[in-house]
Amino acid sequence: MPTIPPGGTPIPENDPHRRRQVAESFGSDAGRYDRARPRYPDAMIDRIVTATPGPGVLDVGCGTGIAARQFRAAGCEVLGVEPDARMADFARRGGIEVEVATFEDWGAAGRVFDAVVAGTAWHWVDPVAGAAKAALVLRPGGRLAAFWHVFELPAGVTEAFAAVYRRVVPDSPFVFQGVGNALEGYQPLFTKAADGIREVGGFGDPEQWRFDWECSYTREAWLDQLPTSGALTWLPPDRLAEVLEGVGDAIDAMGGGFTMPYTTVVVTAARTGTA
């Protein structure tokens, strides 16, 4: 579920949670989002579930319910919190209970959970206020787990995306680095999440868990996913079509498809205390 722009390694913003208009733009095509976004590794889901004291999961920024359905399939009882009513409606149609709110403004009404999770969404949450809210709603031993996909596009696709995006959207707020180590580019985001957890207290020392996997894409499959990126959800149809044409040409030049390595990184900590 890469909401961060998929055109090489993005230069992370210091405070992406202040860009709520991007965070709440993904519901413009909720069906495509749910269809095209990659799922999370089963090994990651299993490790989080095993490391929690019970089945109650609060999914922050649950979107269309992709991660929520995976946790439910693993035996969890999931409640979603999602600021975009369009995404929330889609998740409900998949059987997920969802309350519409930002996590910072959401009211727990005395409820407590065994895990607070966030799939490619925690960067839209204030890292300190979010960790403080998680500490309030987690029972002792409960776990906060925020996770993101990091991926390495083939160089030709990365370069095509960056070039056409700069041409079509020269005034975009999104900035792209050249091809490089994607994990290094995303590390400031992971560090900010961990620092927020440390700042509020009430948790053990944050850890990073890493899960490596691959996914093969046809031209059609990648161009289906690409418009779900935060860099593209707000583009008018003509500009979006131009971006997709440029990227599609690059994939055609590679033979019509590619296999992409993914790393899913979890920033996680357990709630301390006895009450």
Side-chain angles (χ1 to χ4, degrees):
M1 294 170 65
T3 56
I4 299 170
T9 302
I11 299 175
E13 298 180 56
N14 288 332
D15 296 299
H17 64 277
R18 300 187 189 278
R19 295 187 54 79
R20 292 286 189 189
Q21 71 275 23
V22 177
E24 297 173 19
S25 69
F26 303 110
S28 59
D29 193 345
R32 179 198 292 267
Y33 186 102
D34 193 78
R35 176 181 69 244
R37 285 295 183 103
R39 275 48 183 166
Y40 294 95
D42 290 339
M44 184 207 79
I45 300 292
D46 291 344
R47 185 169 181 184
I48 293 172
V49 170
T50 300
T52 59
V57 172
L58 181 68
D59 186 357
V60 175
C62 71
T64 60
I66 291 173
R69 295 193 300 270
Q70 291 186 256
F71 279 103
R72 184 181 62 185
C76 297
E77 300 167 1
V78 185
L79 172 66
V81 177
E82 168 57 45
D84 189 325
R86 299 165 298 180
M87 302 286 268
D89 285 344
F90 192 103
R92 292 185 187 115
R93 292 197 294 273
I96 303 299
E97 181 182 353
V98 185
E99 297 178 5
V100 177
T102 63
F103 185 48
E104 296 93 329
D105 293 336
W106 171 75
R111 292 169 290 183
V112 293
F113 300 86
D114 299 294
V116 172
V117 304
T120 318
W122 196 251
H123 54 285
W124 302 123
V125 176
D126 181 289
V128 176
K133 176 65 72 70
L136 288 174
V137 303
L138 280 169
R139 58 175 41 91
R143 180 164 296 275
L144 171 58
F147 39 92
W148 293 265
H149 291 313
V150 180
F151 54 94
E152 297 275 5
L153 274 169
V157 179
T158 295
E159 292 161 1
F161 178 86
V164 70
Y165 194 83
R166 284 193 299 266
R167 184 178 74 250
V168 174
V169 199
D171 55 348
S172 170
F174 294 99
V175 181
F176 303 96
Q177 296 174 340
V179 177
N181 186 307
L183 275 173
E184 289 181 4
Y186 279 65
Q187 191 58 51
L189 184 152
F190 307 146
T191 299
K192 182 173 285 290
D195 287 346
I197 293 169
R198 293 189 183 96
E199 183 170 337
V200 303
F203 289 95
D205 196 45
E207 303 175 68
Q208 281 190 28
W209 298 344
R210 172 175 173 167
F211 302 86
D212 295 316
W213 54 288
E214 292 183 341
C215 184
S216 294
Y217 287 96
T218 63
R219 179 186 194 275
E220 292 73 19
W222 184 249
L223 296 187
D224 194 31
Q225 180 177 316
L226 193 55
T228 71
S229 160
L232 298 177
T233 52
W234 59 280
L235 287 185
D238 58 337
R239 291 190 178 188
L240 176 60
E242 192 170 347
V243 172
L244 296 181
E245 181 180 4
V247 175
D249 289 345
I251 297 173
D252 286 341
M254 298 170 52
F258 58 91
T259 297
M260 183 152 64
Y262 275 90
T263 297
T264 301
V265 175
V266 185
V267 176
T268 183
R271 181 76 168 90
T272 57
T274 59

